């Protein structure tokens, strides 16, 4: 497998420094990508770079995943309009531990010569004094060189300006590359296209400081076909941590991709080969309503991030809301999973005391909760046979529910029509 050609046909490659392909064609090379520990989980926006390292290792090269314990204390100005809040060391260490665990799901850390390795730049910066840094690093890169970078110019021309802390970020990242080149024979740094300036600062430092040679490669920044930002929803980031984004929500994010996005995403975010993907595209084009690409994409990536069992549960959850799975499915879920399943749908809380002696369905749906805006509307729709609770159609406006009707001892699930679900949590 040729690493660069793999990125090309998948539509991932953006910029590549001359000589990079020659380096990779000579045999096993070492390369790295840095991950910013500003949160205790990676999100789908990081997946392009995770996939880049996976392809790099599959092509027989040695990947290094750098977690920025030191650079996380500074903050990368690339693509940012304002300076970020600096994190405490305790928070950073917690974030680093979580990110390391997530990366270990994707890369093979025990496969011989090209086993992946994880490094933390805090390890080589923690004892590096300011005076030594400006003598050993700062003197090799001119202010003119640093000012010419887009990440610097854009901020200086904006309203917020740029602190000295962020201005020095490219030197800090440049030294990361120098350190890994010097101590780990790492000759290639990779990243998103917005990182090109920071990466080539590293190659320049290696050249000026030790007359060495190093290379750079960047990937496309992923955008959705409609122009909106990839990886964002109304609820915020789509995280890899199931406590932040449930496996069901994660699965739905990919399943709901547009046809245009699915054709792009399935190449970037899965390991399916070109022939398989092209066959799926033909099948999808022949019957778009079957959503072949979206289903294959959601399955592949949900299994790799959350495992087969969580994928199966996500499929069942989808069938529960949009198909014929029975209410007993909720018994298989934790409370957080139930809440995640109904995320974005109206939900209400009532007490068990409210149900103790039984409550009329109209009073429940248009009094204790606001499933209906009025009792008159509730009665009308119940009489017409359009209301269910726990997947069972209500028989009439006089029907009474009590604690024995609770699913998993805790929930009632009203439904108006076929697709309008509500969750009532009974505490």
């Amino acid at each position: 497998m040729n690493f660069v050609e793999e990125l090309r046909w998948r539509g991932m490659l953006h910029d590549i420094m001359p000589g990079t392909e020659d380096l990779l064609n000579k045999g096993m090379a070492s390369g790295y990508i840095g991950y910013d520990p500003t949160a205790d989980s990676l999100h789908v926006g990081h997946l392009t770079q995770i996939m880049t390292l996976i392809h790099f290792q599959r092509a027989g090269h040695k990947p290094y995943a750098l977690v920025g314990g030191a650079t996380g204390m500074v903050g990368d100005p690339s693509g940012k309009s304002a300076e970020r809040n600096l994190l405490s060391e305790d928070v950073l260490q917690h974030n680093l531990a979580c990110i390391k665990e997530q990366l270990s799901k994707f890369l093979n850390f025990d496969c011989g010569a090209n086993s992946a390795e994880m490094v933390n730049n805090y390890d080589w910066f923690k004892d590096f004094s300011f005076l030594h840094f400006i003598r050993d690093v700062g003197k090799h890169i001119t202010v003119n060189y640093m000012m010419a970078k887009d990440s610097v110019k854009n901020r200086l021309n904006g309203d917020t300006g740029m602190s000295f802390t962020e201005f020095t970020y490219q030197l800090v990242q440049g030294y990361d590359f120098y350190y890994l080149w010097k101590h780990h024979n790492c000759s290639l740094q990779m990243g998103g296209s917005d990182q090109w300036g920071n990466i080539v600062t590293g190659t320049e430092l290696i050249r000026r400081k030790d007359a060495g040679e190093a290379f750079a490669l960047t990937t496309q920044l992923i955008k959705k076909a409609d122009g909106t930002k990839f990886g964002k929803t109304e609820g915020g980031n789509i995280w890899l941590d199931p406590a932040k984004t449930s496996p069901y929500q994660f699965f739905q994010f990919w399943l709901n991709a547009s046809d245009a996005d699915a054709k792009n995403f399935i190449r970037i975010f899965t390991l399916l080969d070109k022939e398989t993907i092209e066959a799926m595209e033909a099948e999808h084009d022949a019957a778009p309503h079957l959503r072949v690409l979206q289903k294959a994409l959601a399955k592949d990536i949900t299994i790799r991030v959350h495992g087969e069992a969580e994928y199966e549960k996500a499929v069942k959850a989808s069938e529960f809301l949009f198909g014929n799975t029975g209410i007993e499915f909720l018994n298989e879920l934790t409370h957080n999973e139930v809440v995640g399943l109904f995320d974005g749908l109206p939900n209400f809380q009532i007490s068990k005391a409210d149900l103790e002696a039984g409550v009329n369905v109209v009073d429940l749906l248009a009094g204790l909760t606001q499933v209906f805006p009025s009792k008159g509307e509730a009665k009308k729709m119940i009489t017409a046979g359009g209301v269910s609770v726990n997947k069972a159609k209500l028989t009439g406006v006089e029907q009474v529910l009590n604690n024995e009707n609770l699913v998993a001892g805790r929930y009632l699930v009203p439904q108006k029509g076929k697709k309008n679900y509500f969750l009532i949590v009974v505490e």
Side-chain angles (χ1 to χ4, degrees):
M1 171 181 154
N2 181 295
F3 172 62
V4 176
E5 287 304 316
E6 187 75 9
L7 296 188
R8 279 200 178 106
W9 81 257
R10 290 183 182 274
M12 296 173 68
L13 189 65
H14 188 266
D15 280 316
I16 183 168
M17 187 175 284
T20 303
E21 290 187 81
D22 292 337
L23 168 76
L24 298 174
N25 290 336
K26 289 176 183 176
M28 187 182 76
S30 295
Y32 87 96
I33 293 176
Y35 298 90
D36 199 355
T38 49
D40 59 3
S41 173
L42 299 172
H43 52 74
V44 296
H46 294 104
L47 279 175
T48 307
Q49 300 315 319
I50 293 174
M51 296 305 300
T52 301
L53 280 189
I54 291 173
H55 293 308
F56 191 69
Q57 186 172 42
R58 291 175 70 232
H61 304 297
K62 184 176 180 66
Y64 282 84
L66 182 149
V67 285
T71 39
M73 291 182 168
V74 178
D76 182 3
S78 300
K80 306 295 187 299
S81 59
E83 186 161 352
R84 295 180 304 192
N85 294 327
L86 303 184
L87 303 178
S88 70
E89 189 172 335
D90 287 345
V91 171
L92 278 169
Q93 291 305 317
H94 168 72
N95 292 354
L96 290 168
C98 295
I99 289 171
K100 284 181 180 180
E101 184 178 350
Q102 289 180 341
L103 287 174
S104 66
K105 294 180 179 179
F106 298 93
L107 299 170
N108 192 334
F109 289 84
D110 186 23
C111 60
N114 74 322
S115 294
E117 289 192 32
M118 195 106 48
V119 290
N120 179 357
N121 60 11
Y122 183 74
D123 293 338
W124 53 83
F125 273 114
K126 61 184 177 183
D127 298 319
F128 204 164
S129 74
F130 176 72
L131 288 176
H132 282 104
F133 183 77
I134 58 175
R135 279 175 55 88
D136 295 348
V137 180
K139 70 177 182 179
H140 295 287
I141 304 294
T142 67
V143 171
N144 306 61
Y145 180 88
M146 296 171 70
M147 294 276 286
K149 296 298 170 64
D150 287 340
S151 60
V152 174
K153 286 193 293 187
N154 292 340
R155 285 289 293 278
L156 291 179
N157 293 331
D159 297 330
T160 59
M162 174 182 264
S163 70
F164 177 74
T165 302
E166 283 196 324
F167 181 62
T168 60
Y169 184 92
Q170 62 176 291
L171 287 182
V172 176
Q173 184 172 328
Y175 185 77
D176 283 342
F177 198 176
Y178 172 81
Y179 184 93
L180 292 174
W181 174 84
K182 185 84 170 176
H183 299 281
H184 294 271
N185 193 33
C186 197
S187 298
L188 174 65
Q189 184 182 170
M190 298 164 282
S193 59
D194 60 337
Q195 290 296 309
W196 182 260
N198 290 336
I199 294 173
V200 297
T201 296
T203 65
E204 191 68 8
L205 180 62
I206 290 166
R207 184 184 70 80
R208 294 185 184 187
K209 186 169 168 58
D210 277 15
E213 189 176 33
F215 301 91
L217 180 151
T218 59
T219 56
Q220 303 277 0
L221 292 181
I222 308 304
K223 294 181 180 178
K224 293 171 72 174
D226 63 5
T228 58
K229 189 171 182 179
F230 168 73
K232 293 278 190 180
T233 66
E234 289 181 6
N237 286 322
I238 302 296
W239 300 94
L240 305 193
D241 182 347
K244 292 177 177 291
T245 298
S246 71
Y248 169 74
Q249 293 166 311
F250 186 86
F251 171 78
Q252 284 293 319
F253 171 78
W254 301 102
L255 193 64
N256 291 329
S258 69
D259 289 348
D261 285 333
K263 289 183 177 182
N264 188 24
F265 295 168
I266 201 164
R267 291 169 179 259
I268 296 170
F269 299 114
T270 78
L271 296 176
L272 299 172
D273 59 44
K274 189 175 183 180
E275 292 73 20
T276 300
I277 289 175
E278 287 177 346
M280 282 183 176
E281 287 174 337
E283 186 179 354
H284 181 91
D285 289 341
H289 64 283
L290 296 178
R291 301 179 69 76
V292 171
L293 289 177
Q294 286 90 338
K295 289 176 181 177
L297 171 67
K299 178 179 181 179
D300 183 278
I301 200 159
T302 303
I303 289 175
R304 276 190 295 120
V305 173
H306 295 297
E308 186 96 33
E310 291 298 335
Y311 162 72
E312 295 292 348
K313 198 181 289 185
V315 172
K316 284 185 180 179
S318 186
E319 290 173 349
F320 169 77
L321 288 178
F322 307 110
N324 299 313
T325 301
I327 194 70
E328 61 278 358
F329 167 66
L330 296 188
N331 291 310
E332 303 174 22
L333 305 182
T334 66
H335 177 64
N336 285 340
E337 288 172 336
V338 172
V339 172
L341 173 61
F342 288 91
D343 181 64
L345 299 176
N347 61 84
F348 309 97
Q349 281 194 344
I350 62 174
S351 70
K352 281 199 172 182
D354 292 325
L355 291 179
E356 199 70 52
V359 61
N360 174 268
V361 289
V362 175
D363 293 333
L364 172 69
L365 301 178
L368 292 175
T369 68
Q370 288 77 52
V371 172
F372 286 93
S374 70
K375 291 186 178 181
E377 188 174 330
K379 289 178 181 178
K380 183 178 179 181
M381 196 163 183
I382 291 170
T383 303
V387 183
S388 299
V389 173
N390 299 343
K391 295 266 185 170
K393 191 166 290 187
L394 294 180
T395 56
V397 296
E398 303 301 325
Q399 190 171 344
V400 172
L401 300 177
N402 57 38
N403 288 325
E404 292 182 3
N405 296 106
L406 295 177
V407 180
R410 196 171 188 181
Y411 311 107
L412 292 171
V413 182
Q415 182 180 355
K416 294 196 299 188
K418 290 185 177 181
K419 295 183 178 180
N420 295 312
Y421 284 91
F422 305 80
L423 176 66
I424 300 175
V425 181
V426 184
E427 302 289 359

